[in-house]
Structure formats: C-alpha cells, structure tokens
Amino acid sequence: MNRLRGFVVEAFPGGERGADLLLWLAVVVPVFTMHESPDIVRYPWLPLLWVKIAAVPLLALAVAAGRRLPVMAAAVPAVLALVVTPELYTDSFMIAQLLLAFVLGRRTAGMRPGLLLFAGVCLAGLATAALHPGVTLSSWLTLVGTAVTIIMLPWLAGRYARRHDDLVRAGWELAERLERERDLIGERMRLVERSRIAGDMHDSLGHELSLVALSAGMLQVRPELDGPAREAAAELRVSAAKATERLREIIGVLREDGEAAPVLPSGDTVAALVERAAAAGMAVRLRGELGPLPPMADRAAYRVVQEALTNAAKHAPGAEVTVRLVTDLTAGNAEITVVNAAPPAGPLSAAGSGGYGLVSLDERVRLAGGTLRARPAGGGFAVTALLPLAAGAAATPPTSRRELALARGGVRRSLIDAIWMPVAAAAVLMALTSGYDLYIAHRSVLDAQVYTRLSVGQSLAPLEARLPPYKLPGKGRPAGAPADPRGTDECRFYRIEANSLSSAYRLCFTGGRLSHKDEVPLLRR
C-alpha cells in the first residue's frame, strides 16, 4: 500500500492533489457508467439523472475535504445513495462508498469516526422508514446489511492498512535507530580504547614525573651545592615542567576530537544553563523548578535541557524556546519539557546531524529509570523526559521497542476488530431480520372467521379495517402463486397460518369491490 501511494504521489503532478484527482475520477466515473438494477426500491419523486449530476461537485468537495474531514467525505456518497433508495445500495454510488469508507479508515486512528458514520447512516435509514409512507422496516434491514458490507468492512480494511503501515514505519525507525546505536557503540569502543591507552601513558609519565620531582627536591636541599649543581637542579625543574605538559596533552586523548576542556562546575544547574543561553541571545524562558533528584537523574535532566537547547540553536535559529520543569510528588517523577516554536526563517535541514545526540540522550534517561520522547510540535520540536524522584528505579526498555510493540498490538487489534465487528453486526442483523419476519408472519394472518364473513361485492374501504396490516410477501407476488383472475384490478394474498406458506387466502378486487376470494396453493420454487 505504501508503494502504491508513493507511486501515485510521484506519478501525478501536484503530489497529494494529483492523488486526490485520481480518487475523484475513481468515484465519479462509475456514477455515469454503472446502470441501476430495476429491482431496487427507488423514490419516484427525484429523477436519478439529477442526483448523478449533483454528485459530481459533491464528490469533488468530499475528496477535497477528505484529508481534513474524512468522516464528512465518507458520508457524502452515503447521503447520495439514501436520496436514491431507502435501501442504500445503488450501483452508481457503491464504488464511491467503498473507496471513501476505506479512506476514512486510513486517515483516522480511532474507532469513533467509523462507528459514528455507520450509526448515522443506520439512524437516517430508520428515520426514512418511519416517516416515508412507502418505506417498510424490511427496507431498513436491507440498508443495515448494505451498510455493513460497503461501509463497515472497507472502513475496517482501511484501519488494518493504517495499522500495518504504522508497524512497518515503527520497524524501519527501530532499524535506523539500531544502526545509529551500532555506530555509536563503535565510537564508544574507540573512546574506551583511547582512555585505556591514555591511562597507561598517564601512569608511566606520572611515575617519571614523580622521580624527577624527587631528584630536584633532593638537590635543592643540599647545602654544598655549587654552580653546576644548581644548573642541574634547574634542568630537573625544566624536565618536570615538560613532563607535566606532556601529561596534559595525553589527558586530552580522553576527550573527543575538537572538544574543549570542561570549564563548568560539575554541579551546574538547569536554571544556570538557561540563564547562560538567554545571555547569549536565545529567546528562552524557564517555567517551574525541579525538586531534589538522584544524582544520575539530576545529570540526565541537565543533559536533556542542554541537548534540546543546542538542537534548537542549530536547527531553529531565532525560534522561541520554553523550558518547563514540573515535579509531581504524587506520581513520583519529574517532567522536563523543552519546546521550540517554528523559526522565523523556517526550519533548517538536519541532514548534517549524525543523530547521536537524541540516541545517547535516550540511553542516559533510560539508565536513570526514565523515559524520553522527541516529536514535532506545531511547526517546531518538543523534547520531554520523565525522571524518577527516587533512586534505584529500573531502567525502562528503549522507546523504539515500545513503539514497535504498540504498533504490533495495534495491528492485532485492528485484525480482531475486522473479524468480530462484522460478525457481531451480521448476528444482530440476522436477529432483527428473524424477529421482523416473525412479526410480519403473525401480522399477515387473515383470521378464518373474518375470511368466512367476507362476501363478493363488498366495497374495499370498509374491509380495510378488518384485513391484516401486512400481506404476502410484502412486495410483488408470492412465489408459486397462480395467475390472477381475468378482469381483476388487484389481488392480495394473506397467510392462513403464521408458520405455514403452503397455501394462502387470495382476495381480488375490481372497481374497488371484492370480486373474487379463494384459498390458493403456493408452490415452492
């Protein structure tokens, strides 16, 4: 699905606009190429051609607004179909309903939009069945079954596709993060080896320097020193100075390439860090303060703010930055949030960054027992860290692995939803249909005593109150019924028994009067 969407976006000029144009053509062309079945129940007061003509701009509006209002977009073809038939199913708008319902599932994360659309269509159909005299409850049950097929199922398929894409994206993000961590581990190993070499050389030179200092001290305290001896002592002092300088150079190997020697105290605070950034010209504000934290968590909080301010200065110059510090004693954690707004000149490309800052920061926060989250926010960027107030908290699993686990769970849930929801809807529909059929069966029985009292020549108007409210089979003729007698205007069929359809009472009317009555067999097809 990602490859197909990428191909469409690249193949059509305008990117997303080209894809929307293709979607509009896909939903509009069937409106004029598909032919409606003559068996569908239609409203006679609205010509189908007018509905099709009105559908062109309405579907264009639905597709154009579909990225911001996907529920509205999916509702447009459903409304057009309801205007044509109370049973919802039309060949002209079926493709539009399928595609836009699928798009609804693709573009919404929650269950509520799709369920609201399904419930809204069903309630609209029920209102139509209750208010329109020519629509029966049977048509509404047909509408519910159609909505399950062409709205719920494609919506669930779209949700599954969205969850699957989330899983794939989370997997790629995890792979990229693992690759960066692998490179970072390699760099760490090189630094460890440098530290080991520097430690060995430091021990060796420190021993030599101690010997030199000891010799110089011994010469300086001897009272019988003459001129040459004093010169030797001076040379020893020069050698000690050179050894000290060499030791300083070797200690520099412990630091990364280009890193200056630290000049800030180890107990530097977040507030002092923000003050220095503001003094340097950054538009940064500090809100709140942190309570006492364990040493490891305290250094992690400092590094979070430091790294976030560095990234804001590098990738969003001139943007306003807000540092929020919140200590929640009830939850037992401290929340550090650094948010930078969109820069005045637009965000700079981060292609030059190696991506190690947030990776190492996430590892530092994790080892302190907290969690780190970095995300785009309102055109800018936000970094949030949760750190425990008590020492000894267990390190949380890496964020990428949690996201991958959540994505996998979402795919499983969407697949389960795609199975149980249609099954449940079908079961409810079957129960409603069975109940409705049972109700109609009892309400279409003509009592034998009433049938006996009917006489040929009676007017239809006074008979209406004595006849059952429903007849067989609701519309059309019963299966296997014999042909109507010649000259009759209308023949009605009524059940003899609620649980049997082997025969029925037939009442035929001519000129508004009962002209024929008999019991006819109904042959099964």
Side-chain angles (χ1 to χ4, degrees), residues 260-266:
V263 295
L264 298 176
S266 60

Side-chain angles (χ1 to χ4, degrees), residues 286-327:
L286 177 63
R287 294 180 179 178
E289 59 182 8
L290 288 178
L293 294 175
M296 195 166 183
D298 184 69
R299 285 293 86 194
Y302 182 89
R303 285 286 294 118
V304 167
V305 178
Q306 185 183 49
E307 181 70 20
L309 293 179
T310 301
N311 288 339
K314 183 186 301 182
H315 303 297
E320 294 184 355
V321 183
T322 302
V323 180
R324 289 194 296 268
L325 308 177
V326 179
T327 302

Side-chain angles (χ1 to χ4, degrees), residues 14 59 74-75 153 173 177 192 219 234 288 309 341 367 378 393 480 489 499 519 525:
L59 290 176
L153 287 179
E173 290 176 356
R177 186 170 298 183
V192 168
L219 289 174
L309 293 179
L367 292 176
D489 297 333
N499 299 325
E519 180 179 340
R525 291 183 179 178

